């Protein structure tokens, strides 16, 4: 938790990487909630900083359907991306999207 707080301090944007495995959904929800709590300690909210979601491990057979993940994690309707870090699928698209969100916020 201390590491998460340090990373958030001074961040220009956030990529929240969720594990797509269906059995990890509760952990994802808790982790997102924890991130919001940590942001609050810096007087920030998810509405005050650019952020996007990346749904990792989409290549696994036990990956939850996207509509379930979106319903559980993307209640604010931020951009979201499917990814598989194993082969790099979706990683560049995620990086490009958060970069664009941060730059748009600065202008």
């Amino acid at each position: 938790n201390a590491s998460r707080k340090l990373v958030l301090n001074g961040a220009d944007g956030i990529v929240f990487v969720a594990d797509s495995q269906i059995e990890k959904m509760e952990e994802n929800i808790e982790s997102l909630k924890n991130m919001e709590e940590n942001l609050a300690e810096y007087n920030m909210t998810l509405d005050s900083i650019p952020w996007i979601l990346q749904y990792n491990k989409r290549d696994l057979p036990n990956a939850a359907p996207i509509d379930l993940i979106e319903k559980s994690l993307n209640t604010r309707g931020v951009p979201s991306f499917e990814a598989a870090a194993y082969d790099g699928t979706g990683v560049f698209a995620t990086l490009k999207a958060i970069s664009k969100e941060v730059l748009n916020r600065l202008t």
Side-chain angles (χ1 to χ4, degrees):
N1 197 40
S3 298
R4 289 179 182 176
K5 286 180 190 176
L6 287 174
V7 169
L8 290 173
N9 187 21
D12 294 318
I14 298 170
V15 175
F16 183 86
V17 180
D19 188 323
S20 288
Q21 296 176 92
I22 194 134
E23 62 271 14
K24 297 291 186 175
M25 232 14 66
E26 286 301 316
E27 288 177 45
N28 289 328
I29 293 166
E30 283 300 314
S31 185
L32 185 58
K33 198 180 302 183
N34 178 258
M35 185 176 73
E36 289 183 88
E37 292 166 358
N38 288 335
L39 283 170
E41 291 191 27
Y42 295 114
N43 295 317
M44 298 168 64
T45 68
L46 287 177
D47 296 323
S48 69
I49 188 167
W51 72 289
I52 62 175
L53 288 158
Q54 182 186 77
Y55 305 136
N56 193 27
K57 300 185 181 180
R58 296 302 305 158
D59 55 326
L60 297 181
N62 59 338
I66 287 296
D67 60 333
L68 173 66
I69 301 173
E70 284 281 300
K71 184 178 178 184
S72 299
L73 299 177
N74 199 1
T75 57
R76 289 178 170 87
V78 298
S80 61
F81 298 85
E82 295 183 52
Y86 177 77
D87 65 5
T89 301
V91 174
F92 182 72
T94 302
L95 177 60
K96 184 177 173 183
I98 192 59
S99 299
K100 182 178 176 183
E101 293 288 324
V102 168
L103 290 172
N104 284 341
R105 190 70 62 102
L106 295 174
T107 58

